[in-house]
Short mmCIF file of all heavy atoms in Angstrom, two decimals:
data_model
loop_
_atom_site.label_atom_id
_atom_site.label_comp_id
_atom_site.label_asym_id
_atom_site.label_seq_id
_atom_site.Cartn_x
_atom_site.Cartn_y
_atom_site.Cartn_z
N PRO A 43 -14.02 -3.39 6.35
CA PRO A 43 -13.93 -3.15 7.83
C PRO A 43 -12.70 -2.43 8.26
O PRO A 43 -11.61 -2.85 7.89
CB PRO A 43 -14.09 -4.51 8.43
CG PRO A 43 -14.78 -5.36 7.38
CD PRO A 43 -14.31 -4.79 6.07
N GLY A 44 -12.86 -1.35 8.95
CA GLY A 44 -11.70 -0.62 9.46
C GLY A 44 -10.99 0.29 8.43
O GLY A 44 -9.95 0.80 8.75
N LYS A 45 -11.57 0.34 7.27
CA LYS A 45 -10.89 1.16 6.22
C LYS A 45 -11.85 2.22 5.72
O LYS A 45 -13.01 2.23 5.97
CB LYS A 45 -10.48 0.21 5.03
CG LYS A 45 -9.46 -0.75 5.40
CD LYS A 45 -8.91 -1.45 4.17
CE LYS A 45 -7.76 -2.42 4.49
NZ LYS A 45 -7.26 -3.08 3.32
N GLN A 46 -11.21 3.24 5.01
CA GLN A 46 -11.96 4.31 4.44
C GLN A 46 -12.73 3.83 3.22
O GLN A 46 -12.29 2.91 2.55
CB GLN A 46 -11.00 5.42 4.04
CG GLN A 46 -10.17 6.05 5.07
CD GLN A 46 -10.79 7.25 5.72
OE1 GLN A 46 -12.00 7.44 5.65
NE2 GLN A 46 -9.98 8.11 6.32
N ARG A 47 -13.81 4.52 2.91
CA ARG A 47 -14.52 4.21 1.68
C ARG A 47 -13.68 4.72 0.53
O ARG A 47 -13.12 5.79 0.61
CB ARG A 47 -15.90 4.91 1.68
CG ARG A 47 -16.75 4.50 0.57
CD ARG A 47 -18.18 5.09 0.69
NE ARG A 47 -18.87 4.61 1.76
CZ ARG A 47 -20.16 4.84 2.00
NH1 ARG A 47 -20.90 5.51 1.13
NH2 ARG A 47 -20.75 4.41 3.14
N GLU A 48 -13.61 3.84 -0.51
CA GLU A 48 -12.78 4.28 -1.65
C GLU A 48 -13.52 4.07 -2.98
O GLU A 48 -14.39 3.21 -3.09
CB GLU A 48 -11.51 3.39 -1.72
CG GLU A 48 -11.72 1.90 -1.85
CD GLU A 48 -10.41 1.09 -1.81
OE1 GLU A 48 -9.31 1.71 -1.78
OE2 GLU A 48 -10.49 -0.15 -1.89
N LEU A 49 -13.16 4.94 -3.95
CA LEU A 49 -13.77 4.83 -5.22
C LEU A 49 -13.21 3.67 -5.97
O LEU A 49 -12.00 3.51 -6.13
CB LEU A 49 -13.50 6.14 -6.03
CG LEU A 49 -14.01 6.12 -7.48
CD1 LEU A 49 -15.51 6.06 -7.54
CD2 LEU A 49 -13.56 7.44 -8.14
N VAL A 50 -14.06 2.79 -6.51
CA VAL A 50 -13.72 1.65 -7.22
C VAL A 50 -13.68 1.90 -8.72
O VAL A 50 -12.72 1.60 -9.43
CB VAL A 50 -14.60 0.41 -6.92
CG1 VAL A 50 -14.18 -0.76 -7.77
CG2 VAL A 50 -14.52 0.09 -5.46
N ALA A 51 -14.75 2.45 -9.20
CA ALA A 51 -14.93 2.79 -10.62
C ALA A 51 -16.02 3.79 -10.86
O ALA A 51 -16.93 3.83 -10.07
CB ALA A 51 -15.29 1.46 -11.41
N VAL A 52 -15.80 4.58 -11.89
CA VAL A 52 -16.82 5.57 -12.23
C VAL A 52 -16.92 5.66 -13.73
O VAL A 52 -15.94 5.50 -14.49
CB VAL A 52 -16.45 6.90 -11.60
CG1 VAL A 52 -15.14 7.45 -12.12
CG2 VAL A 52 -17.52 7.96 -11.88
N VAL A 53 -18.14 5.89 -14.21
CA VAL A 53 -18.36 6.15 -15.61
C VAL A 53 -19.06 7.52 -15.80
O VAL A 53 -20.07 7.80 -15.07
CB VAL A 53 -19.24 4.99 -16.29
CG1 VAL A 53 -20.56 4.81 -15.57
CG2 VAL A 53 -19.44 5.29 -17.78
N TYR A 54 -18.48 8.38 -16.61
CA TYR A 54 -19.00 9.71 -16.79
C TYR A 54 -19.93 9.79 -18.05
O TYR A 54 -19.83 8.90 -18.91
CB TYR A 54 -17.83 10.68 -17.01
CG TYR A 54 -16.92 10.76 -15.81
CD1 TYR A 54 -15.70 10.04 -15.75
CD2 TYR A 54 -17.25 11.56 -14.69
CE1 TYR A 54 -14.93 10.05 -14.64
CE2 TYR A 54 -16.39 11.60 -13.60
CZ TYR A 54 -15.25 10.86 -13.62
OH TYR A 54 -14.41 11.00 -12.48
N ASN A 55 -20.71 10.80 -18.12
CA ASN A 55 -21.49 11.09 -19.36
C ASN A 55 -20.44 11.24 -20.46
O ASN A 55 -19.43 11.83 -20.36
CB ASN A 55 -22.24 12.38 -19.21
CG ASN A 55 -23.57 12.18 -18.58
OD1 ASN A 55 -23.99 11.10 -18.27
ND2 ASN A 55 -24.27 13.27 -18.32
N GLY A 56 -20.71 10.59 -21.58
CA GLY A 56 -19.81 10.56 -22.66
C GLY A 56 -19.06 9.20 -22.74
O GLY A 56 -18.37 8.87 -23.73
N GLY A 57 -19.09 8.45 -21.60
CA GLY A 57 -18.54 7.15 -21.59
C GLY A 57 -17.17 6.93 -21.02
O GLY A 57 -16.69 5.75 -20.88
N SER A 58 -16.44 7.99 -20.64
CA SER A 58 -15.17 7.77 -20.09
C SER A 58 -15.25 7.18 -18.71
O SER A 58 -16.22 7.34 -17.99
CB SER A 58 -14.41 9.10 -20.00
OG SER A 58 -15.03 10.02 -19.18
N THR A 59 -14.25 6.44 -18.38
CA THR A 59 -14.24 5.68 -17.04
C THR A 59 -12.90 5.85 -16.34
O THR A 59 -11.86 6.19 -16.89
CB THR A 59 -14.43 4.18 -17.34
OG1 THR A 59 -13.39 3.69 -18.18
CG2 THR A 59 -15.76 3.84 -17.95
N ASN A 60 -12.97 5.67 -14.99
CA ASN A 60 -11.78 5.65 -14.20
C ASN A 60 -11.94 4.49 -13.25
O ASN A 60 -13.06 4.15 -12.79
CB ASN A 60 -11.64 6.96 -13.36
CG ASN A 60 -10.93 8.00 -14.13
OD1 ASN A 60 -10.05 7.73 -15.02
ND2 ASN A 60 -11.30 9.28 -13.90
N TYR A 61 -10.77 3.83 -12.90
CA TYR A 61 -10.77 2.74 -12.01
C TYR A 61 -9.70 2.85 -10.95
O TYR A 61 -8.64 3.45 -11.16
CB TYR A 61 -10.40 1.46 -12.80
CG TYR A 61 -11.52 0.98 -13.78
CD1 TYR A 61 -11.46 1.42 -15.08
CD2 TYR A 61 -12.53 0.18 -13.38
CE1 TYR A 61 -12.42 1.07 -16.01
CE2 TYR A 61 -13.51 -0.23 -14.30
CZ TYR A 61 -13.48 0.23 -15.59
OH TYR A 61 -14.45 -0.16 -16.46
N LEU A 62 -9.97 2.26 -9.80
CA LEU A 62 -9.00 2.09 -8.75
C LEU A 62 -7.90 1.25 -9.32
O LEU A 62 -8.16 0.23 -10.01
CB LEU A 62 -9.67 1.40 -7.54
CG LEU A 62 -8.83 1.14 -6.30
CD1 LEU A 62 -8.44 2.43 -5.59
CD2 LEU A 62 -9.65 0.19 -5.35
N GLU A 63 -6.67 1.63 -9.03
CA GLU A 63 -5.52 0.90 -9.69
C GLU A 63 -5.56 -0.59 -9.47
O GLU A 63 -5.28 -1.37 -10.40
CB GLU A 63 -4.23 1.48 -9.10
CG GLU A 63 -2.96 0.99 -9.87
CD GLU A 63 -2.91 1.47 -11.30
OE1 GLU A 63 -3.36 2.58 -11.60
OE2 GLU A 63 -2.40 0.68 -12.14
N SER A 64 -5.95 -1.01 -8.28
CA SER A 64 -5.90 -2.43 -7.93
C SER A 64 -6.97 -3.24 -8.56
O SER A 64 -6.93 -4.50 -8.51
CB SER A 64 -6.01 -2.61 -6.42
OG SER A 64 -7.28 -2.13 -5.96
N VAL A 65 -7.96 -2.65 -9.24
CA VAL A 65 -8.99 -3.38 -9.95
C VAL A 65 -8.91 -3.33 -11.46
O VAL A 65 -9.66 -3.98 -12.16
CB VAL A 65 -10.44 -3.00 -9.47
CG1 VAL A 65 -10.50 -2.98 -7.96
CG2 VAL A 65 -10.89 -1.66 -10.05
N LYS A 66 -7.98 -2.52 -11.92
CA LYS A 66 -7.85 -2.37 -13.42
C LYS A 66 -7.50 -3.71 -14.06
O LYS A 66 -6.70 -4.49 -13.53
CB LYS A 66 -6.71 -1.35 -13.71
CG LYS A 66 -7.08 0.08 -13.47
CD LYS A 66 -5.94 1.04 -13.85
CE LYS A 66 -6.31 2.45 -13.62
NZ LYS A 66 -5.22 3.37 -13.89
N GLY A 67 -8.25 -3.92 -15.12
CA GLY A 67 -8.02 -5.23 -15.81
C GLY A 67 -8.91 -6.37 -15.28
O GLY A 67 -9.02 -7.41 -15.92
N ARG A 68 -9.53 -6.14 -14.12
CA ARG A 68 -10.40 -7.15 -13.54
C ARG A 68 -11.84 -6.72 -13.42
O ARG A 68 -12.76 -7.55 -13.58
CB ARG A 68 -9.90 -7.56 -12.12
CG ARG A 68 -8.46 -8.04 -12.06
CD ARG A 68 -8.13 -8.56 -10.67
NE ARG A 68 -8.13 -7.52 -9.66
CZ ARG A 68 -8.90 -7.51 -8.60
NH1 ARG A 68 -9.72 -8.55 -8.35
NH2 ARG A 68 -8.85 -6.54 -7.68
N PHE A 69 -12.10 -5.44 -13.20
CA PHE A 69 -13.46 -4.97 -13.08
C PHE A 69 -13.75 -4.08 -14.26
O PHE A 69 -12.93 -3.40 -14.85
CB PHE A 69 -13.54 -4.06 -11.83
CG PHE A 69 -13.42 -4.77 -10.52
CD1 PHE A 69 -13.09 -6.10 -10.44
CD2 PHE A 69 -13.80 -4.08 -9.34
CE1 PHE A 69 -13.01 -6.75 -9.18
CE2 PHE A 69 -13.71 -4.72 -8.13
CZ PHE A 69 -13.29 -6.05 -8.03
N THR A 70 -15.04 -4.10 -14.69
CA THR A 70 -15.52 -3.27 -15.73
C THR A 70 -16.80 -2.57 -15.36
O THR A 70 -17.76 -3.29 -14.92
CB THR A 70 -15.78 -4.13 -17.04
OG1 THR A 70 -14.54 -4.80 -17.37
CG2 THR A 70 -16.19 -3.25 -18.19
N ILE A 71 -16.86 -1.30 -15.48
CA ILE A 71 -18.05 -0.56 -15.13
C ILE A 71 -18.79 -0.22 -16.45
O ILE A 71 -18.11 0.06 -17.47
CB ILE A 71 -17.76 0.79 -14.34
CG1 ILE A 71 -19.03 1.33 -13.81
CG2 ILE A 71 -16.98 1.74 -15.17
CD1 ILE A 71 -18.84 2.48 -12.80
N SER A 72 -20.08 -0.28 -16.44
CA SER A 72 -20.90 0.08 -17.60
C SER A 72 -22.20 0.66 -17.14
O SER A 72 -22.57 0.58 -16.00
CB SER A 72 -21.14 -1.12 -18.53
OG SER A 72 -21.86 -2.12 -17.81
#
């Protein structure tokens, strides 16, 4: 609420991933 939409995690073709800094080590995308 009251904040911009932000990218949390993404998985690309080939399997590479990126994470929001604040969720690294806690969230896993698959």
Side-chain angles (χ1 to χ4, degrees):
K45 294 190 176 181
Q46 301 266 25
R47 189 174 295 192
E48 61 182 357
L49 176 64
V50 176
V52 59
V53 55
Y54 298 97
N55 275 355
S58 62
T59 57
N60 275 327
Y61 293 91
L62 181 68
E63 189 65 33
S64 62
V65 309
K66 285 182 180 177
R68 300 188 296 121
F69 290 11
T70 303
I71 190 169
S72 60

